[in-house]
Amino acid sequence: MPTTTSQQTSRTLDVPGATLTYDVRRNDATTEPPLFLIGSPMAAAGFATLASHFADRTVVTYDPRGSDRSVKADPSSESTPEEHADDLHRVIQAIGGGPVDLFASSGGAVNALALVAKHPEDVRTLVAHEPPLAAILPDREQALAATRAISETYRRSGFGAGMAHFIAVTSHKGPFTAEVASQPPPDPAMFGMPAGDDGSRTDVLLGQNMITCTSYEPDFDALRKAPTRIVLGAGEESDGQMASRGAFTVAERLGREPVKFPSGHGGFLGGEYGQSGQPDAFAAKLREVLGARV
């Protein structure tokens, strides 16, 4: 049964291997399709500020499988972009079907590209913001080696060490070299991360999604054939970082120019998870991009 607050209705949906939780902020007066705001593994809570800028539309957010309220049957297993795409397709069907407009950030942008390739009828406009697609970069071998090194640090030493290594790699600017890929992990204390190891290896980012996300290769033929308008977004402050380079590479492969968004990778955040970008300017840019249909 749905649960309702003054702001939103939350529902659950059983899918193979997980139970998803999604939220609908409904505006019955709008003539626009629903606007989905998604990340991965960032959950719905990360989009509260951005959603508040689109009160004139029905806005849907969700927790990807394994994140926050979306319980995964086997949290020790990896989740793939194809699985996330199927989950998104089922959520879209559950709210009445597409096409919807979709803003997707980071790993969510990777999953959204998989969705459009498989279910192009689901999405009218996709704004894919900074997909961290190491596998399609010119320096793919070393970029993938760097992501594998993060996973090895996590498997060996636990969350704090793995997260510190993740921050160091994802904030690196420019091509990955063998020297960069093989750098020892930084001290977790440098990033305020715990040095201890609780023995768990089911973290939704480091254990379930990082390798499958960064190693995904989009079906560019299917994306070119899709009726979906696909816009690639990159942060003004994240030039040269892996996720920004992913956006530029996808845009080049699709024959279009990326759109610059204010701030950096989390430019839409307004204090969620203790991080703030430029949410007002970011939302204004997103509204401009969504309205620029041809």
Side-chain angles (χ1 to χ4, degrees), residues 19-245:
T19 298
L20 305 177
T21 297
Y22 64 98
D23 306 314
V24 180
R25 298 167 174 83
R26 185 170 297 283
N27 184 324
D28 292 325
T30 184
T31 59
E32 294 287 346
L35 171 61
F36 273 59
L37 306 175
I38 69 166
S40 182
M42 182 180 283
F47 295 94
T49 300
L50 186 58
S52 71
H53 286 82
F54 291 91
D56 57 325
R57 297 187 61 164
T58 292
V59 175
V60 181
T61 55
Y62 93 123
D63 297 347
R65 60 171 58 216
S67 296
D68 286 12
R69 302 165 297 170
S70 289
V71 180
K72 189 175 167 182
D74 180 10
S76 66
S77 66
E78 291 185 318
S79 299
T80 67
E82 292 87 353
E83 285 179 313
H84 288 299
D86 287 341
D87 290 347
L88 286 164
H89 173 67
R90 291 185 174 97
V91 173
I92 290 170
Q93 294 303 303
I95 67 161
V100 303
D101 286 341
L102 175 56
F103 170 78
S105 177
S106 194
V110 176
N111 301 338
L113 291 168
L115 171 68
V116 170
K118 191 170 184 180
H119 299 286
E121 71 284 354
D122 280 356
V123 184
R124 181 178 70 167
T125 296
L126 165 62
V127 181
H129 183 253
E130 299 209 338
L133 290 165
I136 66 168
L137 299 179
D139 47 315
R140 69 183 304 273
E141 290 187 12
Q142 299 305 333
L144 289 171
T147 62
R148 288 193 300 270
I150 298 169
S151 180
E152 290 163 5
T153 297
Y154 172 63
R155 296 296 173 190
R156 181 176 61 250
S157 303
F159 173 79
M163 197 65 194
H165 203 165
F166 172 84
I167 294 169
V169 168
T170 55
S171 60
H172 170 75
K173 293 195 174 186
F176 286 89
T177 63
E179 291 73 23
V180 172
S182 62
Q183 284 184 52
D187 182 349
M190 290 176 57
F191 301 100
M193 296 295 163
D197 181 2
D198 65 4
S200 68
R201 296 296 185 269
T202 58
D203 182 72
V204 67
L205 170 61
L206 300 173
Q208 297 180 33
N209 285 283
M210 188 189 65
I211 294 297
T212 55
C213 175
T214 56
S215 62
Y216 177 73
E217 297 188 44
D219 184 340
F220 286 103
D221 286 340
L223 293 174
R224 292 186 195 99
K225 293 174 183 175
T228 305
R229 173 176 169 252
I230 302 174
V231 179
L232 277 302
E236 292 175 341
E237 298 174 6
S238 46
D239 274 347
Q241 294 177 353
M242 180 191 293
S244 174
R245 294 177 66 214

